[in-house]
Amino acid sequence: MSAALPTQDAAADAFDPFQSGAVERVVATSAAQREVWLADRLGREASLAFNESITLTLAGRLDAHAMRRALDAVVTRHATLRATFAPDGTQMLIGVTPPMLCPLDDLGAAQASDRSRRLDAAVMDAVETPFDLERGPLFRARLFRLGASDHRLLLTAHHIVCDGWSWGVIVSELASLYAAACDGGDAPGLPPADDWSDYVRWEREQSSGASGEAHERWWLSRFPPGDVPVLELPTDRPRATQRGFRSRRIDHVMSAPLVADVQRVGGALGASAFATLFAAFAAMLGRLTAQSDVVVGVPSAGQASSGLGRLVGHAVNLLPVRTDPRAAEPFSGFLRRTAGTLLDAFDHAALTYGSLLALLPVGRDPSRLPLVSVMFNLDPSVAATDAFAGLQAAVQVNPRRYENFELFVNAVRLADGGIRLECQYSADLFDAATVARWLRCYETMLGGIGRDAGAAIGSLPLLAQEDEAELAALRGRAVAPAVGGLMHDAFVQRARAEPDRRAVRDGHRQWTYGELDARSNRLARALRQRGVGRGDRVGICLGRDAELLTALMAVLKTGAAYVPLDPSFPSARLAFYAEDAALAWLLTDASAENAPRNWRADAASRVIRLDTDPSWL
């Protein structure tokens, strides 16, 4: 998304938009649309990360013909829903309004389990079927009849023509237009829709002249040259060299009393509910990563900033909000500062994410997004409504199967006052159990904030009761140490009592207790002859094989301490460890190619290679 973007004046000379079909007009794309267009070109999975989909549950007697008429009217009102894009992404081609294709699947005769399976499959098909930005259509609909009074309307759009705000506009107008269609009318008295060209014009004004310079100065003050943090979430799997897009979603519901406590705390400190939830989320990330410099992305609706509240399109901008959750600071102080930062960020939301990246000296890493890897949003959602002329409607945002961000938490307000956390996460990096635990951590921290917002961030509770119990179970039962016993004494006693009993097997090689005891004694004598004794430290850089046990026992028998050095680590890092530990000797073998070198002046003469050194074999 940060590569050079096509400009509005760079349209290919050979491209004639009116040859591609019935085109009503051609309008310029916005900067944010061009960023999405470029990201869409990264491949199939990258494109599917922009599939936005919702399901309307419609209870009551539904008129399918009236619903299709209402969908046609919505598409007629909003030019972006019948748009396609020029091959370079700089122009949006507004097509003449076609009849909206909305097939009806009648599942009424199917068994309940089969209906559920087929609905789930349809949702998966919606989010896993790519859109063609040049051919369209970029807005799809599908209606399901489950019973005489039970329907589902599945709507899907590419993010380049529809954002979260847009869904609210679409559902609200669809309800009014459906009611009018049921009455045989076409004009429910809706005010005219806002025009996309007006938004592009507003965006240009905000990004040019003194206004644009002010936005740039503020963001650059938040990210001075050479000072761009990277959020390092603990992953369940190594990060691949190339970023993947596979995603799954976990939902977690927080109760109304907890949400009320959070709102009370925020109100007392002069912060909004969103600022309070966001600050707690940033504080939790700080605890998870042990970082005190945390950047979290926040979506900003351009419709609100521009005053074009009835605009449907991609008018959202990503704001990289930088926070500094310090463990010793009271959460109340952190919240006050974060609330101010959020207000400033929204004041300067006109500078797009891609434009900011072009200004920052951010190193490019193909394994991750630059600057922002985690997103947080508070979504008012589209509440249940009875405006569909005799139908009760409820809206659900469908999970995506591909996602741009490592974590995207969308907090949705519920009718009972609670909040549902809809968390899309990278399936390439995290397990579902890990993300579920983090959401419990977030809820637990919010509970602690509700009880005492003045507590230090580092002292706020983090683990839920079930996670505390799981952690306690891993600790095992406390066992009093044997008085006067040394760590290796139990092994020596067993070797004396049962010298012929098998102690270790490594592939085809196996040793008895007596053999392992004898080998470790020989190596211990070799170390003692070299002056190793109590208080010394001996490095062990070996693979996980039987010889590792020989080395461990031998060092302990000399009275020295061993320093484990993982041979898979880079050689320079192991050399630093060896120098920092002031190793007296090093035990290694030929397989440990990264074994440390030159950690002291005479390091080369202080190495015993267990596979080739005749002095102990």
Side-chain angles (χ1 to χ4, degrees), residues 61-70 174-186 387-391:
R61 294 284 179 172
L62 181 139
D63 184 334
H65 177 67
M67 183 60 72
R68 290 192 182 98
R69 288 184 60 193
L174 185 63
S176 299
L177 291 164
Y178 172 77
C182 287
D183 291 337
D186 295 319
F388 276 88
L391 298 176

Side-chain angles (χ1 to χ4, degrees), residues 463-536:
L463 290 181
Q465 194 170 27
E466 60 188 279
D467 297 316
E468 288 275 13
E470 183 180 350
L471 187 60
L474 294 174
R475 296 188 183 119
R477 185 172 57 87
V479 178
V483 177
L486 297 175
M487 184 174 174
H488 59 286
D489 280 350
F491 167 77
V492 174
Q493 292 172 13
R494 177 59 60 89
R496 291 173 181 171
E498 300 179 270
D500 297 326
R501 182 175 178 178
R502 187 171 64 189
V504 59
R505 182 173 62 191
D506 177 14
H508 297 295
R509 179 171 55 176
Q510 59 182 18
W511 295 331
T512 65
Y513 275 94
E515 290 170 334
L516 181 55
D517 189 39
R519 287 182 67 83
S520 60
N521 283 340
R522 290 199 301 273
L523 182 55
R525 283 193 290 271
L527 289 170
R528 292 299 296 269
Q529 290 169 1
R530 289 164 171 77
V532 175
R534 188 182 301 274
D536 289 326

Side-chain angles (χ1 to χ4, degrees), residues 5-360:
L5 292 168
T7 64
Q8 295 175 20
D9 298 326
D13 293 337
F15 176 65
D16 181 357
F18 293 96
Q19 291 180 358
S20 62
V23 174
E24 177 184 288
R25 59 193 172 105
V26 177
V27 299
T29 53
S30 68
Q33 280 183 311
R34 293 192 294 278
E35 291 168 14
V36 170
W37 177 88
L38 186 63
D40 181 271
R41 291 298 189 269
L42 295 178
R44 182 178 183 276
E45 292 188 359
S47 175
L48 289 173
F50 294 108
N51 279 25
E52 304 283 338
S53 181
I54 65 171
T55 297
L56 278 76
T57 298
L58 302 165
R61 294 284 179 172
L62 181 139
D63 184 334
H65 177 67
M67 183 60 72
R68 290 192 182 98
R69 288 184 60 193
L71 284 166
D72 285 343
V74 168
V75 174
T76 299
R77 283 175 57 80
H78 299 286
T80 50
L81 298 182
R82 56 182 191 274
T84 54
F85 287 77
D88 64 355
T90 63
Q91 292 175 315
M92 190 162 59
L93 285 57
I94 310 303
V96 175
T97 306
M100 183 69 190
L101 296 177
C102 182
L104 172 62
D105 293 75
D106 193 341
L107 307 180
Q111 296 291 328
S113 59
D114 189 42
R115 287 200 301 267
S116 178
R117 179 187 61 79
R118 290 169 68 176
L119 278 173
D120 290 343
V123 171
M124 288 301 99
D125 182 65
V127 297
E128 292 187 339
T129 300
F131 287 97
D132 187 329
L133 298 187
E134 293 181 32
R135 294 178 180 272
L138 304 182
F139 180 56
R140 301 190 291 241
R142 191 172 174 184
L143 184 62
F144 297 87
R145 181 183 183 275
L146 281 64
S149 300
D150 188 5
H151 290 76
R152 303 287 187 275
L153 179 60
L154 175 61
L155 301 176
T156 309
H158 193 287
H159 195 34
I160 201 168
V161 297
C162 185
D163 55 18
W165 184 290
S166 300
W167 281 124
V169 175
I170 290 170
V171 172
S172 174
E173 293 189 356
L174 185 63
S176 299
L177 291 164
Y178 172 77
C182 287
D183 291 337
D186 295 319
L190 290 175
D194 289 314
D195 189 83
W196 185 253
S197 297
D198 292 335
Y199 177 76
V200 173
R201 188 179 304 110
W202 173 84
E203 184 186 65
R204 287 178 183 169
E205 292 171 355
Q206 288 294 308
S207 61
S208 61
S211 179
E213 292 174 1
H215 297 319
E216 288 185 7
R217 281 197 304 272
W218 188 84
W219 283 108
L220 291 176
S221 73
R222 298 295 298 167
F223 297 97
D227 184 26
V228 179
V230 176
L231 188 65
E232 295 288 0
L233 285 170
T235 63
D236 292 307
R237 283 170 290 284
R239 190 180 296 276
T241 55
Q242 189 72 35
R243 175 169 65 99
F245 296 88
R246 289 191 316 112
S247 179
R248 296 295 181 269
R249 194 177 93 184
I250 286 180
D251 290 357
H252 179 88
V253 175
M254 299 193 301
S255 69
L258 173 64
V259 175
D261 283 344
V262 171
Q263 291 176 322
R264 173 184 51 78
V265 166
L269 295 170
S272 66
F274 172 71
T276 309
L277 291 167
F278 175 85
F281 184 71
M284 183 201 70
L285 292 179
R287 292 277 296 275
L288 290 178
T289 61
Q291 293 177 249
S292 58
D293 196 353
V294 173
V295 176
V296 179
V298 172
S300 170
Q303 291 93 334
S305 302
S306 64
L308 302 173
R310 289 192 170 273
L311 181 70
V312 168
H314 177 69
V316 68
N317 187 22
L318 189 164
L319 309 181
V321 180
R322 189 174 190 177
T323 65
D324 56 345
R326 298 186 292 269
E329 182 182 16
F331 177 79
S332 54
F334 174 65
L335 172 57
R336 289 190 181 97
R337 287 188 295 103
T338 301
T341 300
L342 281 169
L343 289 174
D344 289 341
F346 281 109
D347 283 344
H348 297 283
L351 184 70
T352 67
Y353 173 67
S355 299
L356 175 60
L357 287 181
L359 297 172
L360 295 176

